[in-house]
Amino acid sequence: MVKLIKAQRKALSTNYAVAYAVKMVDVDVIAAYPITPQTHVVEKLAEFIANGELEAEMIHVESEHSALSAVIGAAAAGARTFTATSAQGLELMHEITHIASGMRLPIVMSIATRALSAPISIWCDYSDIMNARDTSWIIYFTSRAQETFDTIIQAYKVAENEKVLLPVMVAYDGFITSHTYEPVDLPDEEEVRKFVPKKVTWYTLDTEKPVTMGPVGTPDWYYEFKYQQVIAFENALPVIKQVNDEFAKWFGRKYDVVEPYMIDDAEIALVSYGSVVGTIRETIDELRKEGIKAGLLNLRLYRPFPVEDIKKYLSKVPIVGVLDRAISYGAPYGGPAYTDIASVFYHEADRPLLANFIIGIGQRTVLPDDIKFITKKLKEFLDKKQVPPKPIFIGVRE
């Protein structure tokens, strides 16, 4: 039975939706350094603190490296923490991301995705978050403000689960969604806090029960510490699904690790992530009217990679086009999501043809006509029973 929660509807940008979610989960410590296009998140949180709407410590630091270091210290002391960044800021944090996950601290961080320099770009693609895919953080991709608000709340419940204890990144499109206003249903704050009650489930610095955190890992034991993170990710996937189900019962909005659209009878499937999935859905509706049986699989969870869910929806589709929004430079066959999906099917006898398309780099506009072009290319490949071994770059001037 769904628990009916009274909600207040507000027009919010995704940045502000993140800030409202962080306020509602009652964080203790926030540390951040401003960087476009995420700055509005922490500005709004500073406003909540100044107005007395959130009782939390805001630490103003000199860099993103320091921001993540500060919340590591706070989390190690038992605080519920938050930070936010983008692009070069996430790269400056990179050293510290491994420390946060290695110390098994349940930090939550939002990422307004942004292309990396050089040349300097403040616009969107997913090159920053894809550079973080091996940092041992759980990674969600979201495509709209309401989903991002809800996912931030879920992220704390997942991160703080005793079987998981890993930090979480929630990534959404810089500018395309970070600055776009949409209607967001805000549940009662007390209900959110009941859903994500504060409980310290991780090891903390305690003078009564001293522990050593972040010591030197000699060759005798380092491997075992890292293997514990492998086990944590194996534990994380069922917990993520369980939290999705609990959230649906509590607040009436259902999410999953992947979201299919018209995939059941699809002869051509497109896989992508972030806000572009909205454009793909609209285009699929048009393609269906033209008699082309296209479908979509929206990749909501990127780490841990939802292998069995991907197999469930894509195994019977004759051909799949993976639309990547980042480039894996020097990789032999394609972008990051494509490579992961190809590995899912490597050992499967019954697998689809796979093709890779690179789209939207540096926020190059992706139009319905681009999606139609990709779909028709996939139909040509299917007719020939052959796909090109390298990615196809859509919308680039050669």
Side-chain angles (χ1 to χ4, degrees), residues 169-197:
M169 298 182 192
V170 179
Y172 54 92
D173 289 25
F175 287 112
I176 299 171
T177 54
S178 68
H179 286 55
T180 299
Y181 280 72
E182 300 177 79
V184 177
D185 288 333
L186 300 175
D188 181 77
E189 191 166 84
E190 289 307 311
E191 291 295 332
V192 173
R193 293 179 184 185
K194 287 176 186 175
F195 180 74
V196 196

Side-chain angles (χ1 to χ4, degrees), residues 10-45:
K10 279 182 175 285
L12 297 176
S13 68
T14 299
N15 276 345
Y16 280 3
V18 170
Y20 271 90
V22 171
K23 176 173 82 78
M24 288 189 179
V25 300
D26 193 24
V27 299
D28 302 304
V29 177
I30 301 158
Y33 188 80
I35 185 170
T36 300
Q38 79 77 14
T39 306
H40 294 163
V41 176
V42 289
E43 283 181 344
K44 193 66 175 176
L45 286 166

Side-chain angles (χ1 to χ4, degrees), residues 338-351:
Y338 171 84
T339 303
D340 285 323
I341 289 173
S343 71
V344 166
F345 289 105
Y346 181 78
H347 294 288
E348 301 296 313
D350 189 12
R351 60 177 180 262

Side-chain angles (χ1 to χ4, degrees), residues 279-315:
T279 303
I280 296 171
R281 282 194 199 97
E282 294 291 327
T283 309
I284 284 172
D285 291 342
E286 294 180 23
L287 288 166
R288 287 277 174 160
K289 291 174 184 176
E290 297 174 17
I292 298 172
K293 289 185 176 180
L296 165 68
L297 193 65
N298 174 23
L299 193 59
R300 275 198 76 244
L301 182 69
Y302 191 58
R303 289 290 185 268
F305 203 64
V307 172
E308 295 305 319
D309 299 87
I310 288 168
K311 286 182 185 177
K312 173 184 172 182
Y313 290 111
L314 297 183
S315 290

